[in-house]
Amino acid sequence: MAAPPRLVCASSVALVVWAGFCSAVCVEVPSETEAVQGTHMKLLCISCMKREEVTASTVVEWFYRPEGGKDEPIYEYRKTNHEFPSRFSGRLQWNGSKDMQDVSITVLNVTLNDSGIYTCNITREFEFEIHRPLFTSSRSIHLTVVEEAGEDFTSVISEIMMYILLVFLTLWLLIEMVYCYRKVSKAEEAAQENATDYLAIPSENKENCAVPVEE
């Protein structure tokens, strides 16, 4: 018995949606989790659209939760940008991309009181002919604000490796210089020995050593 046309069509659409969700078109990278007081901090939130050829409307909601507190809305993107009244008023900047895969915001002039958990909620409504499925995702960033920048472990390792390399190159240069000096000294000693041996030969033997000239 043949399946009804609507069922076949709906199954095809569901298969396309599922296949689209399984094939990423961008890379989701985590945000940094430490900021220095008085600097600008970008809260990175990337949510890859799985099928960029399908039109979708996107709603982005940003929340902030202090230590031991509750989530409070601080920013929203719903076709237009909207900043909620909060401790961040006037200090939030939209850094999202046009394709709405990057929906990041930047906190300007961060303070020690800005430490806490930031949550980015993304809701997409895909516009298919038959139905409009919703896709939701969420990202959380535990931000810590410090007074001064701490020395990065990677930079410390890099400095150590640089000093080791400098010491190695210095030793190698010294070894090369000693090797070259000894080689030159041996060559000079050999030349002096040859000259001494030549001077020690009697004069009549020196004449016999001369190469005869052919006419």
Side-chain angles (χ1 to χ4, degrees), residues 63-81:
F63 295 88
Y64 167 73
R65 183 170 77 247
E67 295 293 340
K70 297 181 179 180
D71 285 336
E72 56 182 76
I74 59 174
Y75 203 88
E76 180 183 74
Y77 181 91
R78 194 185 297 265
K79 294 185 178 180
T80 58
N81 301 331

Side-chain angles (χ1 to χ4, degrees), residues 112-171:
L112 295 177
N113 293 328
D114 294 339
S115 297
I117 300 176
Y118 296 79
T119 304
C120 169
N121 293 335
I122 307 102
T123 303
R124 300 192 195 279
E125 184 178 5
F126 292 90
E127 301 176 3
F128 291 100
E129 294 182 0
I130 299 177
H131 64 303
R132 303 169 70 92
L134 291 177
F135 173 76
T136 61
S137 62
S138 181
R139 305 285 186 276
S140 293
I141 304 169
H142 196 156
L143 181 66
T144 302
V145 182
V146 297
E147 294 182 359
E148 296 180 355
E151 198 164 9
D152 188 13
F153 179 75
T154 304
S155 62
V156 173
I157 296 298
S158 300
E159 291 181 4
I160 294 175
M161 294 300 296
M162 180 184 66
Y163 289 129
I164 293 176
L165 181 61
L166 288 175
V167 172
F168 172 78
L169 291 176
T170 303
L171 292 176

